[in-house]
Amino acid sequence: MTFREMLIEDLDQVMEIETDLFAIPWTKEGMFTFLTREDTMFFVVEEKGRILGYCSMQTVLDEGDILNVAVRSDRQKEGIGYFLVDSMLMLAQAQGISLVHLEVRESNGTARRLYQRLGFVEDGLRKNYYTDPLENAVLMTKKQ
């Protein structure tokens, strides 16, 4: 497995994962727009030319906001999500990011436990943040 920056050529495989996992996926155009921004980092984990997962973070000064984390449904529960986020956090810290935020579905216990293992603390709730289905977002923060 290789962790690397996401390339424009990766968009088709990333969009397959995005549309498979999320009820309201990002559009390819939206993903492309963020991928080409200076204030956003996008990374993938790849194995033999196949993208297994991706993650991204938008940065402002010394803070980051994790935008998305996704792993192919047939490769979940193998530690790929942990590897992705941990690697991204290390790179962000090296670039001076000292505080990282994210939001996660309240019902997504697997992701919440993953983020807690990575040092995130639950520190807020956004009522009815997600749609399809309507659900609260748990806010989490990590000081690096």
Side-chain angles (χ1 to χ4, degrees), residues 85-126:
V85 177
D86 189 46
S87 299
M88 181 171 63
L89 290 170
M90 284 190 285
L91 285 171
Q93 186 175 31
Q95 293 179 14
I97 303 300
S98 59
L99 195 63
V100 180
H101 308 279
L102 63 83
E103 54 270 325
V104 61
R105 281 187 179 271
E106 193 171 30
S107 67
N108 193 344
T110 301
R112 289 169 66 184
R113 285 186 297 279
L114 166 79
Y115 297 131
Q116 287 169 346
R117 284 196 344 252
L118 286 162
F120 284 85
V121 175
E122 295 183 2
D123 57 358
L125 196 69
R126 282 201 180 115

Side-chain angles (χ1 to χ4, degrees), residues 17-31:
I17 299 168
E18 180 76 10
T19 55
D20 179 51
L21 295 179
F22 300 105
I24 303 175
W26 282 35
T27 64
K28 189 173 185 179
E29 295 76 18
M31 190 83 69

Side-chain angles (χ1 to χ4, degrees), residues 55-110:
C55 61
S56 65
M57 179 187 300
Q58 188 171 20
T59 60
V60 177
L61 302 172
D62 66 339
E63 293 190 21
D65 185 27
I66 294 180
L67 301 174
N68 53 19
V69 177
V71 175
R72 283 191 182 277
S73 56
D74 64 335
R75 296 299 300 268
Q76 293 179 359
K77 301 195 184 335
E78 295 180 25
I80 296 168
Y82 185 96
F83 176 60
L84 265 168
V85 177
D86 189 46
S87 299
M88 181 171 63
L89 290 170
M90 284 190 285
L91 285 171
Q93 186 175 31
Q95 293 179 14
I97 303 300
S98 59
L99 195 63
V100 180
H101 308 279
L102 63 83
E103 54 270 325
V104 61
R105 281 187 179 271
E106 193 171 30
S107 67
N108 193 344
T110 301

Side-chain angles (χ1 to χ4, degrees), residues 7 12 25 33-34 43 45 48 64 74 91-92 98 111-113 115 118 121 123 132-133 138 142-143:
L7 306 171
D12 287 338
T33 299
F34 272 88
F43 300 100
V45 167
K48 298 177 184 169
D74 64 335
L91 285 171
S98 59
R112 289 169 66 184
R113 285 186 297 279
Y115 297 131
L118 286 162
V121 175
D123 57 358
D132 216 3
V138 175
K142 175 184 170 83
K143 293 179 183 170

